[in-house]
PDB file of all heavy atoms in Angstrom:
ATOM      1  N   ALA A 185     128.061  46.487  42.991  1.00 67.00           N
ATOM      2  CA  ALA A 185     128.025  47.975  43.150  1.00 67.00           C
ATOM      3  C   ALA A 185     127.215  48.325  44.370  1.00 67.00           C
ATOM      4  O   ALA A 185     126.242  47.624  44.707  1.00 67.00           O
ATOM      5  CB  ALA A 185     127.396  48.606  41.910  1.00 67.00           C
ATOM      6  N   ARG A 186     127.509  49.362  45.026  1.00 65.00           N
ATOM      7  CA  ARG A 186     126.709  49.794  46.224  1.00 65.00           C
ATOM      8  C   ARG A 186     125.677  50.787  45.759  1.00 65.00           C
ATOM      9  O   ARG A 186     124.649  51.025  46.530  1.00 65.00           O
ATOM     10  CB  ARG A 186     127.658  50.409  47.272  1.00 65.00           C
ATOM     11  CG  ARG A 186     128.390  49.308  48.103  1.00 65.00           C
ATOM     12  CD  ARG A 186     128.917  49.890  49.368  1.00 65.00           C
ATOM     13  NE  ARG A 186     127.903  50.540  50.227  1.00 65.00           N
ATOM     14  CZ  ARG A 186     127.866  51.839  50.528  1.00 65.00           C
ATOM     15  NH1 ARG A 186     128.677  52.656  49.792  1.00 65.00           N
ATOM     16  NH2 ARG A 186     126.841  52.333  51.236  1.00 65.00           N
ATOM     17  N   VAL A 187     125.878  51.494  44.736  1.00 63.00           N
ATOM     18  CA  VAL A 187     124.924  52.422  44.255  1.00 63.00           C
ATOM     19  C   VAL A 187     124.574  52.211  42.878  1.00 63.00           C
ATOM     20  O   VAL A 187     125.323  51.696  42.053  1.00 63.00           O
ATOM     21  CB  VAL A 187     125.416  53.912  44.455  1.00 63.00           C
ATOM     22  CG1 VAL A 187     125.578  54.261  45.892  1.00 63.00           C
ATOM     23  CG2 VAL A 187     126.749  54.105  43.716  1.00 63.00           C
ATOM     24  N   VAL A 188     123.326  52.638  42.505  1.00 61.00           N
ATOM     25  CA  VAL A 188     122.874  52.584  41.073  1.00 61.00           C
ATOM     26  C   VAL A 188     122.617  53.965  40.513  1.00 61.00           C
ATOM     27  O   VAL A 188     121.925  54.769  41.195  1.00 61.00           O
ATOM     28  CB  VAL A 188     121.502  51.762  41.071  1.00 61.00           C
ATOM     29  CG1 VAL A 188     120.965  51.743  39.637  1.00 61.00           C
ATOM     30  CG2 VAL A 188     121.696  50.342  41.532  1.00 61.00           C
ATOM     31  N   HIS A 189     123.190  54.257  39.415  1.00 60.00           N
ATOM     32  CA  HIS A 189     122.987  55.561  38.793  1.00 60.00           C
ATOM     33  C   HIS A 189     122.035  55.469  37.589  1.00 60.00           C
ATOM     34  O   HIS A 189     121.493  56.470  37.142  1.00 60.00           O
ATOM     35  CB  HIS A 189     124.285  56.195  38.282  1.00 60.00           C
ATOM     36  CG  HIS A 189     125.291  56.415  39.342  1.00 60.00           C
ATOM     37  ND1 HIS A 189     125.267  57.524  40.079  1.00 60.00           N
ATOM     38  CD2 HIS A 189     126.273  55.685  39.939  1.00 60.00           C
ATOM     39  CE1 HIS A 189     126.219  57.556  41.012  1.00 60.00           C
ATOM     40  NE2 HIS A 189     126.754  56.407  40.914  1.00 60.00           N
ATOM     41  N   ASP A 190     121.756  54.219  37.195  1.00 63.00           N
ATOM     42  CA  ASP A 190     120.807  54.024  36.063  1.00 63.00           C
ATOM     43  C   ASP A 190     119.421  54.215  36.439  1.00 63.00           C
ATOM     44  O   ASP A 190     119.049  53.822  37.549  1.00 63.00           O
ATOM     45  CB  ASP A 190     121.016  52.604  35.550  1.00 63.00           C
ATOM     46  CG  ASP A 190     120.343  52.366  34.249  1.00 63.00           C
ATOM     47  OD1 ASP A 190     120.879  52.729  33.202  1.00 63.00           O
ATOM     48  OD2 ASP A 190     119.204  51.908  34.389  1.00 63.00           O
ATOM     49  N   PHE A 191     118.626  54.800  35.623  1.00 59.00           N
ATOM     50  CA  PHE A 191     117.208  55.047  35.825  1.00 59.00           C
ATOM     51  C   PHE A 191     116.369  54.151  34.947  1.00 59.00           C
ATOM     52  O   PHE A 191     116.692  54.092  33.782  1.00 59.00           O
ATOM     53  CB  PHE A 191     116.951  56.533  35.587  1.00 59.00           C
ATOM     54  CG  PHE A 191     115.655  56.991  36.169  1.00 59.00           C
ATOM     55  CD1 PHE A 191     115.520  57.221  37.563  1.00 59.00           C
ATOM     56  CD2 PHE A 191     114.584  57.290  35.381  1.00 59.00           C
ATOM     57  CE1 PHE A 191     114.371  57.658  38.122  1.00 59.00           C
ATOM     58  CE2 PHE A 191     113.318  57.698  35.936  1.00 59.00           C
ATOM     59  CZ  PHE A 191     113.319  57.957  37.274  1.00 59.00           C
ATOM     60  N   PRO A 192     115.313  53.537  35.514  1.00 61.00           N
ATOM     61  CA  PRO A 192     114.534  52.608  34.643  1.00 61.00           C
ATOM     62  C   PRO A 192     113.925  53.316  33.474  1.00 61.00           C
ATOM     63  O   PRO A 192     113.327  54.355  33.661  1.00 61.00           O
ATOM     64  CB  PRO A 192     113.407  52.077  35.580  1.00 61.00           C
ATOM     65  CG  PRO A 192     113.697  52.552  36.890  1.00 61.00           C
ATOM     66  CD  PRO A 192     114.789  53.528  36.891  1.00 61.00           C
ATOM     67  N   GLN A 193     114.099  52.738  32.170  1.00 61.00           N
ATOM     68  CA  GLN A 193     113.549  53.432  31.068  1.00 61.00           C
ATOM     69  C   GLN A 193     112.147  52.858  30.757  1.00 61.00           C
ATOM     70  O   GLN A 193     111.809  51.744  31.211  1.00 61.00           O
ATOM     71  CB  GLN A 193     114.404  53.085  29.834  1.00 61.00           C
ATOM     72  CG  GLN A 193     115.703  53.744  29.786  1.00 61.00           C
ATOM     73  CD  GLN A 193     116.596  53.276  28.670  1.00 61.00           C
ATOM     74  OE1 GLN A 193     117.045  52.156  28.749  1.00 61.00           O
ATOM     75  NE2 GLN A 193     116.618  54.024  27.610  1.00 61.00           N
ATOM     76  N   TYR A 194     111.390  53.503  29.999  1.00 58.00           N
ATOM     77  CA  TYR A 194     110.095  53.050  29.426  1.00 58.00           C
ATOM     78  C   TYR A 194     109.217  52.610  30.645  1.00 58.00           C
ATOM     79  O   TYR A 194     108.476  51.595  30.581  1.00 58.00           O
ATOM     80  CB  TYR A 194     110.284  51.907  28.456  1.00 58.00           C
ATOM     81  CG  TYR A 194     111.333  52.192  27.476  1.00 58.00           C
ATOM     82  CD1 TYR A 194     112.422  51.404  27.414  1.00 58.00           C
ATOM     83  CD2 TYR A 194     111.207  53.198  26.617  1.00 58.00           C
ATOM     84  CE1 TYR A 194     113.501  51.555  26.490  1.00 58.00           C
ATOM     85  CE2 TYR A 194     112.276  53.482  25.677  1.00 58.00           C
ATOM     86  CZ  TYR A 194     113.414  52.695  25.661  1.00 58.00           C
ATOM     87  OH  TYR A 194     114.353  52.951  24.808  1.00 58.00           O
ATOM     88  N   SER A 195     109.230  53.348  31.724  1.00 60.00           N
ATOM     89  CA  SER A 195     108.517  52.860  32.882  1.00 60.00           C
ATOM     90  C   SER A 195     107.878  54.132  33.587  1.00 60.00           C
ATOM     91  O   SER A 195     107.917  54.291  34.773  1.00 60.00           O
ATOM     92  CB  SER A 195     109.471  52.217  33.878  1.00 60.00           C
ATOM     93  OG  SER A 195     110.227  51.338  33.282  1.00 60.00           O
ATOM     94  N   ILE A 196     107.226  54.934  32.723  1.00 62.00           N
ATOM     95  CA  ILE A 196     106.595  56.149  33.336  1.00 62.00           C
ATOM     96  C   ILE A 196     105.649  55.823  34.426  1.00 62.00           C
ATOM     97  O   ILE A 196     105.595  56.337  35.481  1.00 62.00           O
ATOM     98  CB  ILE A 196     105.869  56.963  32.284  1.00 62.00           C
ATOM     99  CG1 ILE A 196     106.964  57.569  31.373  1.00 62.00           C
ATOM    100  CG2 ILE A 196     104.999  58.073  32.766  1.00 62.00           C
ATOM    101  CD1 ILE A 196     106.439  58.171  30.008  1.00 62.00           C
ATOM    102  N   LYS A 197     104.918  54.634  34.184  1.00 65.00           N
ATOM    103  CA  LYS A 197     103.927  54.307  35.140  1.00 65.00           C
ATOM    104  C   LYS A 197     104.440  53.828  36.523  1.00 65.00           C
ATOM    105  O   LYS A 197     103.786  53.760  37.513  1.00 65.00           O
ATOM    106  CB  LYS A 197     102.986  53.233  34.596  1.00 65.00           C
ATOM    107  CG  LYS A 197     101.982  53.729  33.544  1.00 65.00           C
ATOM    108  CD  LYS A 197     100.873  52.823  33.318  1.00 65.00           C
ATOM    109  CE  LYS A 197     101.302  51.707  32.357  1.00 65.00           C
ATOM    110  NZ  LYS A 197     100.311  50.768  32.011  1.00 65.00           N
TER     111      LYS A 197
END
Side-chain angles (χ1 to χ4, degrees):
R186 282 197 55 251
V187 293
V188 174
H189 296 274
D190 183 86
F191 196 73
Q193 287 174 285
Y194 315 115
S195 313
I196 290 166
K197 284 195 285 180

